Amino acid sequence: MKNRKIHWLWNVVIVLTLMVIVAAFMAHYKNWINVESNQFKILSGIYYKKINFTDVNKVEMVDKIPSLERINGFSVSETEKGIFKDSIYNTNVYIFVDKLSTQKIKVTYKDTLQLFFNVSDSLETEKMYTLFSSKLDSLSSLK
């Protein structure tokens, strides 16, 4: 029987591939939200959106996402993420939904642009909605 020599390069390629897969999963498994004094940032994998609070027209809680055409993104079980096309306004709609069965926050900004998001914990989604509403109320009182 011949001695088989395993090449070290293949071991390195396998380990690097597994590391990339784990990093991609970590980036997509939840929404990474950052709220600053005048900006809202949301990141999930390759999808990223930054919105100034001064550009926001309306924030509301909705049960369902309207029927939209997917440009790119993915759906897995209760998760829906990506960029969709609104055929009424012919604009892009960003969707960052971790759990489809719970309520989602709908943010309308710059008159016709929309963003839907939630997190897997419904109480945390409620807190985000309250924070968003209070930011909008404080901005409207300044005007």
Side-chain angles (χ1 to χ4, degrees):
M1 188 164 151
K2 288 185 178 180
N3 288 338
R4 292 180 55 181
K5 186 177 181 182
I6 299 175
H7 201 277
W8 62 271
L9 178 65
W10 290 114
N11 289 336
V12 171
V13 168
I14 291 170
V15 169
L16 286 176
T17 302
L18 290 175
M19 288 173 54
V20 168
I21 290 170
V22 168
F25 174 75
M26 293 293 291
H28 282 92
Y29 90 98
K30 76 175 215 167
N31 292 330
W32 304 92
I33 298 172
N34 183 15
V35 178
E36 295 177 358
S37 61
N38 61 347
Q39 286 184 339
F40 170 79
K41 299 175 186 175
I42 187 166
L43 169 74
S44 182
I46 61 170
Y47 303 105
Y48 173 74
K49 192 66 186 163
K50 178 170 63 172
I51 300 174
N52 290 326
F53 285 114
T54 56
D55 295 336
V56 175
N57 301 96
K58 185 166 74 168
V59 176
E60 58 187 318
M61 294 289 279
V62 295
D63 291 324
K64 293 186 177 188
I65 298 172
S67 178
L68 302 167
E69 177 186 345
R70 182 190 321 255
I71 295 174
N72 62 40
F74 65 94
S75 298
V76 176
S77 183
E78 289 268 330
T79 304
E80 181 91 39
K81 299 189 182 186
I83 303 171
F84 293 73
K85 179 69 85 177
D86 183 359
S87 59
I88 296 172
Y89 296 111
N90 198 25
T91 59
N92 290 342
V93 176
Y94 287 83
I95 296 181
F96 297 91
V97 175
D98 282 343
K99 195 166 185 182
L100 282 170
S101 61
T102 62
Q103 286 191 313
K104 296 127 208 67
I105 300 173
K106 176 185 175 185
V107 179
T108 306
Y109 60 102
K110 294 185 180 177
D111 294 331
T112 58
L113 301 177
Q114 295 177 353
L115 167 80
F116 291 88
F117 76 97
N118 73 2
V119 291
S120 55
D121 182 13
S122 61
L123 293 176
E124 191 66 31
T125 302
E126 287 284 337
K127 286 180 187 176
M128 290 301 302
Y129 175 72
T130 305
L131 175 74
F132 234 101
S133 296
S134 65
K135 289 277 189 186
L136 289 180
D137 290 343
S138 67
L139 284 174
S140 65
S141 67
L142 293 175
K143 291 181 181 179

